[in-house]
Amino acid sequence: MNPLKKKPRSKHLNPTQPLPDWMKVRVSFPKESDALTAVRAEVETKQLHTVCESASCPNLNHCWNRKTATYMLAGDICTRRCQYCDVAFGKPKSLDSDEPEKVARSVEALGLRHVVLTAVNRDDLKDGGANHFAETITKIKSYRPECSIEVLIPDFKAKEDSLQILYSAKPNIINHNIETVERLFPTITPQKNYRRSLEVLAHISKHGFVTKSGLILGLGETEEDVYQCLNDLFSHGVRMLTIGQYLQPGPTHYPVKSFIPPETFQMWKEVAYQIGFKTVASGPLVRSSYHADEYFTEDSHNLPKE
């Protein structure tokens, strides 16, 4: 574990709540023959970071056993301190110039058909890390041209130059998570801006890319908040959507205000389709990369083309 993950997110202690039955995940000790073991060995051998581990994703065992992982570029230290996130924050290290090559070789070794690339916020870099994304995409295409590529990007402070660098590498899907509703942004993610994130999503869509975003519930949002957020996302060009449950990583993180039952997630899925979204994954354990390969393969014919 990155020791910086132990830094408190706030001065307030918020004891974690017991999980309801629908949030409990069965895990088993991995065997040598399991795909999870192969993915872990690949990641550790090449000294790569994954958001699966850095953000303490509850689906790690499930996804790694499906031979899928979300690579996290540009290190494992973020320049922003969001109250809900478990990624370490602080002063990042220099970029690893060999990382694009290592990630591409890992994608090739695992024989991936669809890969998701994300990154920590790198506000210390002039381009926010956009070139690093582009180099990694280019390398993957050279080693594994049949693999579709999805990127989950920070907001790059809405810099036109950074976004254009990313566009030049031509990923198949560009995702930027809105994360929460506008009313909660100042409290939960004060270094981000709701309107700026919408601006980035609109920019992506206007440049012809399949545009995706994700929302987490259980942070204290109202139904009116969620409905407004979904309409905002759709009106700014988002057509792929994920909705999941917030889980509090530790006692100094923002507390869970409510555990949303599965039937409510189903309701929001139906609402999203009524609004016009082309593909929606909504459920307590859904995360932005959850079964991303299946959603792209099954529903890509309904999505706008690049």
Side-chain angles (χ1 to χ4, degrees):
M1 177 188 293
N2 188 319
L4 289 177
K5 288 185 74 167
K6 296 179 181 178
K7 290 173 67 175
R9 296 289 158 144
S10 71
K11 297 178 182 178
H12 306 290
L13 286 177
N14 303 303
T16 54
Q17 299 180 39
L19 296 176
D21 288 343
W22 65 79
M23 291 300 306
K24 293 176 182 177
V25 179
R26 289 181 178 272
V27 294
S28 57
F29 195 80
K31 303 174 185 176
E32 285 295 323
S33 57
D34 289 345
L36 182 150
T37 304
V39 173
R40 184 175 294 282
E42 182 64 29
V43 168
E44 290 179 353
T45 300
K46 291 186 170 66
Q47 296 182 307
L48 300 172
H49 300 294
T50 67
V51 76
C52 321
E53 293 180 298
S54 293
S56 305
C57 180
N59 298 318
L60 185 149
N61 280 48
H62 174 77
C63 292
W64 283 22
N65 266 319
R66 295 180 67 250
K67 247 187 181 180
T68 61
T70 298
Y71 296 92
M72 191 168 75
L73 308 178
D76 63 345
I77 303 173
C78 188
T79 55
R80 300 185 189 180
R81 181 172 64 175
C82 298
Q83 298 301 307
Y84 60 84
C85 184
D86 201 31
V87 175
F89 68 93
K91 183 178 180 181
K93 299 176 183 178
S94 300
L95 289 176
D96 177 3
S97 59
D98 294 328
E99 188 174 53
E101 173 83 13
K102 290 191 290 187
V103 169
R105 288 292 194 182
S106 179
V107 170
E108 180 187 39
L110 291 172
L112 300 186
R113 294 178 294 104
H114 185 85
V115 63
V116 182
L117 306 174
T118 190
V120 291
N121 283 279
R122 291 298 303 258
D123 295 328
D124 58 313
L125 302 174
K126 184 178 180 181
D127 69 351
N131 267 299
H132 205 63
F133 264 109
E135 289 173 17
T136 306
I137 294 167
T138 301
K139 286 286 186 181
I140 291 171
K141 287 184 175 182
S142 68
Y143 288 119
R144 185 79 176 158
E146 64 270 43
C147 181
S148 51
I149 301 171
E150 179 174 333
V151 292
L152 170 54
I153 64 169
D155 60 27
F156 294 135
K157 294 185 176 179
K159 290 181 179 177
E160 171 87 22
D161 290 348
S162 296
L163 290 168
Q164 290 293 350
I165 289 168
L166 180 72
Y167 300 160
S168 68
K170 296 187 172 156
N172 298 93
I173 298 174
I174 303 180
N175 182 358
H176 172 62
N177 281 339
I178 199 72
E179 303 290 15
T180 190
V181 299
E182 185 172 19
R183 182 175 57 83
L184 297 177
F185 251 68
T187 301
I188 295 172
T189 180
Q191 291 168 285
K192 297 182 182 180
N193 182 281
Y194 182 82
R195 292 292 152 184
R196 182 170 65 191
S197 285
L198 290 178
E199 178 187 339
V200 168
L201 289 164
H203 196 278
I204 294 166
S205 177
K206 286 176 182 175
H207 281 75
F209 289 91
V210 175
T211 308
K212 180 177 177 181
S213 192
L215 180 65
I216 49 177
L217 304 182
L219 291 161
E221 66 287 330
T222 65
E223 285 195 2
E224 291 77 13
D225 289 331
V226 177
Y227 190 77
Q228 183 60 55
C229 183
L230 296 184
N231 277 282
D232 285 343
L233 290 172
F234 186 80
S235 66
H236 284 78
V238 175
R239 294 298 178 266
M240 295 186 78
L241 178 68
T242 58
I243 309 174
Q245 167 73 51
Y246 169 60
L247 292 176
Q248 183 183 346
T252 65
H253 290 75
Y254 193 82
V256 174
K257 298 296 185 181
S258 60
F259 286 106
I260 313 301
E263 55 268 25
T264 301
F265 279 103
Q266 178 61 31
M267 181 270 288
W268 284 122
K269 181 176 184 177
E270 293 169 4
V271 168
Y273 276 125
Q274 288 168 6
I275 290 171
F277 289 93
K278 296 298 184 182
T279 177
V280 182
S282 179
L285 291 172
V286 166
R287 296 296 182 265
S288 57
S289 306
Y290 187 64
H291 285 231
D293 54 336
E294 293 180 5
Y295 280 96
F296 180 68
T297 302
E298 292 175 5
D299 298 317
S300 55
H301 63 282
N302 289 325
L303 297 169
K305 303 302 179 191
E306 179 184 332

